[in-house]
Amino acid sequence: MLLVSITDSLDGIFPEILPRIVEPLFTTKKTNEGSRLGLDIVKKIVEKHSVTIEVASVIAQKTFIVSIPIAVERYPTNNHTDAQLKI
């Protein structure tokens, strides 16, 4: 499992809004500020690839934690005591 954590120091997300951030067309922005589809599209892509995203938010900071399953395959070399890993 590969974990990627992304934190910013911009606005946090209020607890009552957090469950809705991946809804298509949901926004707290003013009209004509963005398409409001970003996290909905991200959700569809990550679900298709068995990736998970968690969000933690406090005042003036939010963190997205992305968990990516990775498969490690062993490729034998000429010397059977050695192996190469392909990730």
Side-chain angles (χ1 to χ4, degrees):
M1 184 73 61
L2 173 65
L3 296 176
V4 178
S5 177
I6 303 155
T7 301
D8 71 31
S9 58
L10 299 173
D11 298 336
I13 303 170
F14 292 111
E16 61 272 13
I17 294 174
L18 198 55
R20 299 191 62 203
I21 64 172
V22 294
E23 291 179 13
L25 304 180
F26 174 77
T27 188
T28 58
K29 295 179 181 181
K30 296 177 184 174
T31 304
N32 297 325
E33 287 187 16
S35 68
R36 302 181 306 258
L37 292 174
L39 288 178
D40 175 56
I41 293 170
V42 169
K43 179 183 174 195
K44 290 174 183 172
I45 292 169
V46 299
E47 286 175 347
K48 186 174 184 173
H49 297 285
S50 301
V51 173
T52 60
I53 297 180
E54 298 175 38
V55 181
S57 182
V58 295
I59 295 173
Q61 179 177 306
K62 60 186 162 290
T63 301
F64 290 83
I65 302 165
V66 183
S67 303
I68 305 168
I70 57 173
V72 177
E73 299 178 30
R74 294 184 67 89
Y75 291 92
T77 61
N78 292 336
N79 180 345
H80 63 273
T81 59
D82 296 331
Q84 295 177 343
L85 294 179
K86 181 179 181 183
I87 299 177

